[in-house]
Amino acid sequence: TQLLEQSPQFLSIQEGENLTVYCNSSSVFSSLQWYRQEPGEGPVLLVTVVTGGEVKKLKRLTFQFGDARKDSSLHITAAQTGDTGLYLCAVNFGNEKLTFGTGTRLTIIP
Amino acid sequence: EAGVTQSPTHLIKTRGQQATLRCSPISGHTSVYWYQQALGLGLQFLLWYDEGEERNRGNFPPRFSGRQFPNYSSELNVNALELEDSALYLCASRGQGELYGYTFGSGTRLTVV
């Protein structure tokens, strides 16, 4: 069974602080996606990373794909209350279904 | 462009009954994926339909079934409902190519009492 472990599971920080969440696997994958899910809604795609060592920026969010293509991180600078949500990484391990990580539930305190 | 639409938004059923959930993908998308998200848990893959055929199935009992219609919309059926089937059921569609992420609907919240 191919698993994606995310850490931390829960994170609660003050508005304006920085944070990093992680996604790790024992398997190598060709690409990885990050999603954010708000309560009562489906996950929304944030980014797809493809190349080992790749860094992508989306405003205050920075996504990095590990050199070994087995891990990824999401860094948020100067967190805002609108960043609150469940952050999920997801990988297609080659069987045409997206496997999701365990998720990081982020709460930004005003 | 309309997104992925799911109906109903909420569904309350009694244990032992059957539930039918519906999904319309984005226009032009032929693949439809179903996921279950139980409270506090991650997304668990249920079923994948493409071009009217079931292509892959997750680790769920046979009472979870579905189909895809010629217009690519899809239906998920859950028979003999159990209390632990209470969850948010999410449908997603995807464009061609691995790099395109899934577009999810807002889900159907199924409550079994």
Side-chain angles (χ1 to χ4, degrees), chain B:
Chain B
E1 178 184 80
V4 176
T5 57
Q6 292 188 245
S7 63
T9 305
H10 295 85
L11 190 58
I12 299 175
K13 291 285 187 178
T14 303
R15 191 171 54 183
Q17 286 188 316
Q18 178 196 37
T20 298
L21 288 62
R22 296 179 177 84
C23 170
S24 293
I26 288 174
S27 177
H29 288 187
T30 62
S31 280
V32 170
Y33 302 81
W34 287 94
Y35 283 82
Q36 181 196 65
Q37 187 176 31
L39 191 62
L41 299 179
L43 277 74
Q44 301 298 317
F45 170 74
L46 265 167
L47 290 159
W48 168 37
Y49 290 96
D50 183 59
E51 298 284 358
E53 299 286 333
E54 182 181 302
R55 303 295 185 181
N56 203 345
R57 181 182 183 85
N59 189 25
F60 281 84
R63 56 191 187 82
F64 286 84
S65 65
R67 54 181 172 167
Q68 187 177 35
F69 299 99
N71 66 354
Y72 303 118
S73 67
S74 178
E75 197 173 84
L76 174 68
N77 294 293
V78 188
N79 294 318
L81 284 165
E82 301 179 1
L83 295 178
E84 52 264 35
D85 296 333
S86 295
L88 181 67
Y89 288 83
L90 292 161
C91 170
S93 71
R94 184 175 65 92
Q96 294 298 315
E98 180 189 1
L99 300 185
Y100 292 95
Y102 288 18
T103 300
F104 282 87
S106 296
T108 293
R109 172 73 61 187
L110 173 63
T111 302
V112 183
V113 298

Side-chain angles (χ1 to χ4, degrees), chain A residues 30 35 37 41 96-98, chain B residues 35 37 94 98 102 106:
Chain A
S30 58
Y35 291 79
Q37 185 180 20
E41 297 293 329
E96 279 296 331
K97 67 177 174 75
L98 214 54
Chain B
Y35 283 82
Q37 187 176 31
R94 184 175 65 92
E98 180 189 1
Y102 288 18
S106 296

Side-chain angles (χ1 to χ4, degrees), chain A residues 3-88:
Chain A
L3 296 174
L4 286 174
E5 296 288 337
Q6 290 189 243
S7 61
Q9 186 177 0
F10 297 95
L11 183 59
S12 183
I13 65 169
Q14 293 289 137
E15 194 170 21
E17 294 183 346
N18 302 330
L19 66 107
T20 303
V21 298
Y22 302 90
C23 175
N24 295 281
S25 173
S26 58
S27 302
V28 175
F29 34 83
S30 58
S31 65
L32 178 144
Q33 296 166 356
W34 283 96
Y35 291 79
R36 179 171 68 209
Q37 185 180 20
E38 299 187 20
E41 297 293 329
V44 175
L45 178 67
L46 296 175
V47 77
T48 299
V49 286
V50 178
T51 307
E54 180 179 6
V55 176
K56 278 193 173 179
K57 293 195 174 187
L58 185 67
K59 297 183 181 179
R60 295 175 293 101
L61 278 60
T62 302
F63 304 85
Q64 184 157 10
F65 198 10
D67 291 339
R69 310 167 72 89
K70 296 170 69 173
D71 60 273
S72 180
S73 64
L74 159 58
H75 181 81
I76 300 179
T77 303
Q80 299 176 358
T81 55
D83 296 327
T84 292
L86 177 66
Y87 287 81
L88 296 158

